[in-house]
Amino acid sequence: MTVKLDPLPPPKPARGFGRLPVGRWFLLVGAALVLAFTAAIAVTLTTLNETREAREYIIEVIDPMVLHTLEMSTAMTTEESSIRGYGRTNEPSYLAEYNQARVAETAAGNALQAFIPRVPEVAADLAHLRSAIDDWRLAYADAIVRDVPSKGRETASGYADVNNIRFGAVRSAFATQQQHLEALHRTGSERLEKGWNTFYRALIVLVALLVLAAVLFTLLVRLVVIRPVNRLAAQVRAVAQGEFDRSLTVHHPAEMAELSGHVDAMRRRIVREWRTATQAKRALEDQAVELRRSNGELEQFAYVASHDLQEPLRKVASFTQMLEQRYGDQLDDRAKQYIKFAVDGAKRMQLLINDLLDFSRVGRVSTEREPIAVSEVYEAAVGNLAARIEDSGAVITHDELPTVNGNRLLLTQLFQNLIGNAIKFRSEEPPVIHIGVRRDGSVWEFSCSDNGIGIDTKYADRIFLIFQRLHPRDVYPGTGIGLALCRKIVEYHGGRIWLEDRKPGTTFRWTLEAPSE
């Protein structure tokens, strides 16, 4: 039976920071750190993206433009030297070399032109350079190619000044474009270096945030978990060591404040119940003394009942029978019937007194329990019922019987009563009785099954009550104590007994404790 206690009063609500639960503390600190980490990561990613763009700008744009400018400058130098050689010698090989260099110069110029959308700052330089090249080619190279074959090599010397002026302008345009590209390269390099420096600083900030997070969470765990737990543990330890009047108070976090309030309420209740229990124990000790005295008187009464009360009953039965023997010829049938009723009543009273004595002795006379082989108990019970078994033609079988903890005398009486009932309440067929056994955890479950008249399950509880009978005495004799005695014996051994719903016949089941291994 579960005892339901009144609920404990709610603890006092926490105040100040103590109102914040542990989860809220961690949420606040975690949210702040997450915001800081998010900002640092955003800066880091932005810096990485800018650094990547600066690197791509230098490697994929500026450096190729510098290379193509150099290729274009080299091609123009080759064009100028080839066309001068052609003007002095009129050799076609020089003209072929000029044409090849011109193709290379055009290809390099086109390559440079392709980068103009990404570097519009160089567009003017490239346009000026191409204009200078076109002017040189128109004023000098095309004139040499046109006049030398028809007018002779001497005409080339007339264009020397033009070549110096026009090609000088080309060199100047190349120098201007090269300086502009170098400036762009320096700007990109500075941007790249600045990006890496920012990235390194962001990494340092991230590492610092990690260290800060570890420190903050360590302090937070110490502040809102370890320290309150240690404080509550110290207070509980003091109470456990005997300081029962010491109150338990922890102010933060909210869970620990609530827990300490509940534990303190339990402490107060336990102290109150302990004091009440101490007073009850003293009262129980006084009652135990009175109970021992009362039990002594009951034992004395049992002795009187078993000897002094039965002696008058024997005398009533004996003298009534002697009255019938001596004056039997003078008595009519009604008087003889009355004498029979008196003798039967006296004998039933003796039987009832003996059964009551047996019922009262369970757990009081023979209290020792030890490992008992059930096979020996079974053999003793069957031996006591040998005459009834033989008269009824009963067949009794059993499973392999184990060893249990119990009292030999009481267990013999248990088996004897159950087998005897199976023989008494038999049907028209000879009794067939089986003692079954199975292990159920730490106990052995026994069963006694028969093919008798059976018991209606609606009487499953009534049959175990003392003096409860389901049949008239003239049909089935007895006092109605047998099954009540069986239940008392089983409960004394820490088990239980019940009627199983089984048709036909009757099956009783009960449990007994197995010996500890």
Side-chain angles (χ1 to χ4, degrees):
M1 180 179 178
T2 302
V3 180
K4 187 175 181 180
L5 300 176
D6 294 333
L8 294 170
K12 295 181 180 179
R15 295 176 297 176
F17 288 108
R19 291 178 296 179
L20 294 178
V22 175
R24 189 69 57 82
W25 280 95
F26 280 94
L27 179 63
L28 292 175
V29 175
L33 289 174
V34 166
L35 289 176
F37 271 110
T38 303
I41 291 173
V43 171
T44 302
L45 293 178
T46 303
T47 303
L48 278 176
N49 186 56
E50 293 177 354
T51 304
R52 178 184 59 80
E53 291 177 354
R55 181 177 178 275
E56 291 177 356
Y57 181 76
I58 293 174
I59 294 176
E60 296 180 7
V61 178
I62 301 302
D63 287 347
M65 290 188 72
V66 171
L67 178 63
H68 293 316
T69 300
L70 180 62
E71 291 174 352
M72 194 173 181
S73 175
T74 303
M76 284 303 302
T77 302
T78 303
E79 285 183 46
E80 194 272 338
S81 62
S82 297
I83 203 66
R84 278 192 295 106
Y86 178 73
R88 289 195 303 268
T89 63
N90 197 18
E91 291 288 336
S93 60
Y94 285 104
L95 186 59
E97 185 178 358
Y98 165 76
N99 291 329
Q100 290 178 355
R102 184 174 181 181
V103 171
E105 175 260 326
T106 303
N110 293 334
L112 281 172
Q113 187 65 38
F115 286 103
I116 293 302
R118 300 180 66 178
V119 192
E121 301 94 327
V122 189
D125 295 337
L126 182 60
H128 178 68
L129 175 62
R130 282 189 165 179
S131 177
I133 292 173
D134 291 341
D135 290 344
W136 172 79
R137 185 172 288 116
L138 181 63
Y140 178 71
D142 291 345
I144 294 296
V145 172
R146 183 183 65 247
D147 293 343
V148 168
S150 58
K151 296 180 180 180
R153 292 174 296 176
E154 294 79 6
T155 60
S157 59
Y159 292 102
D161 293 336
V162 174
N163 180 43
N164 291 333
I165 295 172
R166 298 295 183 180
F167 202 77
V170 171
R171 289 194 184 95
S172 176
F174 269 119
T176 301
Q177 180 169 312
Q178 191 71 26
Q179 290 175 358
H180 201 169
L181 288 176
E182 288 177 356
L184 291 176
H185 191 281
R186 283 194 302 272
T187 302
S189 298
E190 292 173 355
R191 181 183 169 193
L192 181 62
E193 184 178 0
K194 181 180 178 181
W196 282 117
N197 292 334
T198 305
F199 175 73
Y200 292 142
R201 285 193 292 270
L203 284 182
I204 293 173
V205 171
L206 282 174
V207 172
L209 284 176
L210 285 175
V211 175
L212 179 62
V215 172
L216 285 179
F217 277 110
T218 300
L219 294 176
L220 188 60
V221 169
R222 182 175 179 82
L223 176 65
V224 302
V225 178
I226 296 177
R227 185 178 295 176
V229 168
N230 289 339
R231 183 175 180 181
L232 182 59
Q235 294 174 356
V236 171
R237 192 180 302 113
V239 173
Q241 292 174 354
E243 298 181 22
F244 300 116
D245 293 328
R246 179 169 180 175
S247 61
L248 306 175
T249 54
V250 175
H251 300 294
H252 65 274
E255 290 91 340
M256 294 302 298
E258 181 181 1
L259 177 61
S260 65
H262 285 308
V263 174
D264 193 60
M266 286 190 291
R267 176 193 64 81
R268 293 194 300 270
R269 171 177 283 181
I270 290 171
V271 170
R272 184 172 60 253
E273 296 295 335
W274 170 63
R275 289 169 179 166
T276 304
T278 301
Q279 296 174 357
K281 182 179 178 182
R282 294 194 187 101
L284 284 175
E285 289 175 352
D286 295 339
Q287 291 178 1
V289 173
E290 181 63 23
L291 187 59
R292 283 193 293 269
R293 184 190 62 78
S294 177
N295 284 340
E297 293 177 354
L298 286 176
E299 290 179 3
Q300 185 177 3
F301 169 77
Y303 177 80
V304 173
S306 62
H307 294 83
D308 298 346
L309 291 182
Q310 292 192 47
E311 185 60 28
L313 291 174
R314 281 193 295 269
K315 286 184 179 181
V316 170
S318 297
F319 282 102
T320 303
Q321 289 173 340
M322 290 174 62
L323 180 64
E324 181 184 16
Q325 291 173 2
R326 175 168 295 186
Y327 303 102
D329 54 349
Q330 302 177 20
L331 301 174
D332 57 9
D333 292 338
R334 184 175 294 276
K336 291 180 180 180
Q337 187 180 17
Y338 290 163
I339 291 174
K340 183 180 180 182
F341 286 160
V343 173
D344 182 64
K347 290 182 178 180
R348 284 194 293 107
M349 179 62 76
Q350 286 180 320
L351 181 60
L352 184 60
I353 290 173
N354 289 331
D355 287 345
L356 281 173
L357 288 173
D358 290 339
F359 187 81
S360 65
R361 287 192 185 104
V362 174
R364 186 169 55 85
V365 177
S366 299
T367 58
E368 69 279 358
R369 281 190 285 180
E370 58 185 358
I372 300 294
V374 179
S375 58
E376 299 176 3
V377 171
Y378 168 80
E379 294 296 339
V382 171
N384 294 339
L385 297 169
R388 295 174 60 184
I389 294 172
E390 184 177 354
D391 292 341
S392 63
V395 176
I396 307 176
T397 59
H398 63 83
D399 295 340
E400 183 178 354
L401 299 175
T403 298
V404 299
N405 276 333
N407 180 275
R408 185 182 301 274
L409 179 62
L410 295 179
L411 292 181
T412 301
Q413 194 169 10
L414 171 66
F415 277 85
Q416 183 175 328
N417 283 358
L418 292 173
I419 296 173
N421 276 357
I423 296 173
K424 182 197 295 187
F425 298 101
R426 62 182 178 273
S427 62
E428 296 178 357
E429 300 293 331
V432 177
I433 305 168
H434 179 71
I435 304 297
V437 184
R438 75 178 185 91
R439 185 67 181 260
D440 184 11
S442 61
V443 299
W444 287 103
E445 182 180 301
F446 294 84
S447 64
C448 179
S449 305
D450 62 53
N451 62 340
I453 62 174
I455 302 175
D456 195 329
T457 53
K458 67 181 180 179
Y459 301 116
D461 295 328
R462 177 181 170 186
I463 57 177
F464 292 106
L465 300 178
I466 192 170
F467 299 139
Q468 295 298 314
R469 299 176 54 86
L470 303 182
H471 307 280
R473 287 190 179 87
D474 56 347
V475 180
Y476 294 100
T479 59
I481 295 181
L483 288 178
L485 181 62
C486 290
R487 185 172 73 170
K488 190 169 183 180
I489 292 173
V490 171
E491 290 178 351
Y492 166 73
H493 285 84
R496 64 186 186 95
I497 185 170
W498 67 96
L499 174 67
E500 185 179 82
D501 186 7
R502 174 181 177 271
K503 299 289 176 57
T506 304
T507 297
F508 286 101
R509 292 188 178 274
W510 69 97
T511 58
L512 294 174
E513 181 184 353
S516 58
E517 299 178 356

